[in-house]
Amino acid sequence: MTAPSTFGLSNEARNLHWLLTNLVEEVPGILSVAVVSSDGLLLLSSDQESYDAAREVRAVRRAGPRGSAADLATVVSGVGSLTIGAARLMDFGNVKHTMVAMDEGSLFVMSISDGSLLGVHGSADCDMSVIAYHMALFVGRAGHVLTPELRSELRKSLESVSTSTGSTR
């Protein structure tokens, strides 16, 4: 995978991009990753528009939900919202993570901070415990730096990538 352009981003934003790239490249079975804000907006993805060549390869392999970071972000936000609502209804406290095993893949959703979520789409043969472990490492490293200012910077960065590539997502 080719790293996205991090030109003009703060050190914290570049570090998050680096952490996400390492997560995808180093952990077997991870197909795509999305970091989503508490209001459901995509902040960071392994499948950004600036990854055009890598996206085409992944789309052929059916790597992401319909090959789109926006689709993964939508699913992650929805699953996160549903599980948070269920936890409140049952008075069980905060949701730490959710894993969904399907015939042809897996979905993992983990809380980061302030309602932000990390979502991972895994392959059918992935080791769920290995992915969950590496997600927890990512959350531990990224959670304390994902401030409101950094979330705003990441949103603006994605918007500028979408605008410059002519994307309508």
Side-chain angles (χ1 to χ4, degrees):
M1 173 174 25
T2 305
S5 173
T6 57
F7 179 76
L9 294 179
S10 66
N11 285 336
E12 292 83 5
R14 285 195 307 272
N15 287 339
L16 279 179
H17 277 276
W18 181 83
L19 284 171
L20 186 97
T21 299
N22 278 350
L23 179 65
V24 174
E25 290 179 352
E26 300 295 323
V27 181
I30 291 182
L31 301 173
S32 58
V33 179
V35 175
V36 181
S37 67
S38 60
D39 52 0
L41 296 175
L42 180 63
L43 297 176
L44 191 61
S45 172
S46 65
D47 193 29
Q48 295 174 18
E49 294 297 328
S50 61
Y51 288 83
D52 288 337
R55 284 185 87 228
E56 290 173 11
V57 170
R58 282 194 300 273
V60 169
R61 291 189 333 215
R62 275 188 37 143
R66 304 295 179 256
S68 168
D71 291 344
L72 179 59
T74 300
V75 170
V76 167
S77 180
V79 168
S81 180
L82 180 64
T83 57
I84 288 167
R88 284 185 186 147
L89 180 67
M90 294 183 223
D91 199 23
F92 282 169
N94 294 328
V95 176
K96 295 178 182 177
H97 63 266
T98 304
M99 292 189 278
V100 180
M102 298 166 273
D103 288 340
E104 297 185 29
S106 300
L107 173 68
F108 306 82
V109 179
M110 189 171 286
S111 298
I112 299 177
S113 64
D114 296 337
S116 297
L117 301 167
L118 172 65
V120 171
H121 176 229
S123 64
D125 60 348
C126 72
D127 185 332
M128 294 176 85
S129 62
V130 169
I131 290 179
Y133 171 77
H134 284 279
M135 288 177 70
L137 289 177
F138 179 93
V139 166
R141 293 173 182 149
H144 67 283
V145 298
L146 200 53
T147 62
E149 295 80 17
L150 184 56
R151 287 193 295 270
S152 177
E153 178 183 358
L154 292 170
R155 271 192 217 125
K156 288 177 186 173
S157 171
L158 277 179
E159 288 170 4
S160 68
V161 168
S162 295
T163 303
S164 67
T165 60
S167 174
T168 57
R169 288 184 192 227

